[in-house]
Amino acid sequence: MSYTAASQVVARQLEFFENRKVLVIGELSDSYPLELTQVAQSVAVFTTNYGYHCNMSRHSQIQSHFGAELSADIDIDMILLYWPKAKAEAEYLLAMTLAKFGPETEICIVGENRSGVRSAEKMFQAYGNITKYDSARRCSFYWGRCEQQAPTFDINSWFKSYPITVAGTELTIRSLPGVFSHGEFDKGSELLLETLPSLHGRVLDFGCGAGVIGAVMKTNNPAIELELCDISALAIESARETFKVNNLEASFTATDVYKALEGPYDFLISNPPFHAGLKTFYAATEDFIAQAPNYLNTDGQLIIVANSFLRYPPLIEDSLGSCEIAASTNKFNIYAAKK
């Protein structure tokens, strides 16, 4: 079994987890929590990633919890935080879990140095002391203990709000830490929205993030049946909030590509993700494009925006037979194809 560098460092420090009731949170991408069950009394996982939750849920020895906030009542005495790429998300996860489990809860933090894990020392000062115990494979490993009661956690206080004006609409966007374009409007999404044709029927906003694209589409095309989807619970919660504050309606689905979706759609619209953690990652978008014909109505259309260096046209041509560049800048291209 191949493990990430962070998990390899955790494996060097197994004595911290012996006979402990461990909750694993943060930027997980491998199955190392299964290894922890060999030494820990119990292992639970809280993840905001739907795909990872589905993978962990297959294993009876792991309690897997998915969502934007951990609401389940579980018995733990140790938290293992895999440091996420967004510092604000790490702060969010610490505030949420330490408010829930309180003083005397021990915590181990592991992460790649380039992800900013060193800021864990300063961030944890509000809760207690934390000490670096290991440094290897360009990662750092810390141990600490929560020594005072953390403030009550209120998810509403973690939303950032910002206004946008695009494609003839003025809207308020709400986003949680760790969500794409958190607190700012992405230029690729802006180009896409300025380029979109009039929409009708069933429309999917794939990889919806904070719901920017979907909110503008619904405002400008109120008759469409709109569904927003994302692999991230933080994104789904942000998109819901964006639609709520703008008095818009849609359906929201947590999914790993098409796993939880039911087609067909008249339009597949996306500013697709190409990063997972700190790495460039294309698999989800490649699957989204390859399977598009199975989820489009006759004459249905795929429209995406992408960085111009990404080699999506051949994939779109293989999937749908043709690929048109509907608009472009020096950084982004809009690709469109009909079934």
Side-chain angles (χ1 to χ4, degrees), residues 282-291 312 315:
Y282 306 96
T285 303
E286 291 176 356
D287 288 347
F288 171 65
I289 293 170
Q291 297 181 52
Y312 288 152
L315 301 177

Side-chain angles (χ1 to χ4, degrees), residues 90-109:
E91 189 176 10
Y92 173 92
L93 291 171
L94 278 176
M96 178 189 67
T97 51
L98 294 177
K100 186 175 181 66
F101 299 109
E104 302 307 315
T105 303
E106 294 183 33
I107 186 164
C108 292
I109 297 176

Side-chain angles (χ1 to χ4, degrees), residues 34 51-62 64 259:
L34 289 171
Y52 190 78
H53 169 64
C54 290
N55 290 337
M56 287 293 101
S57 294
R58 296 201 300 263
H59 304 284
S60 59
Q61 62 269 52
I62 299 283
S64 185
K259 187 168 187 174

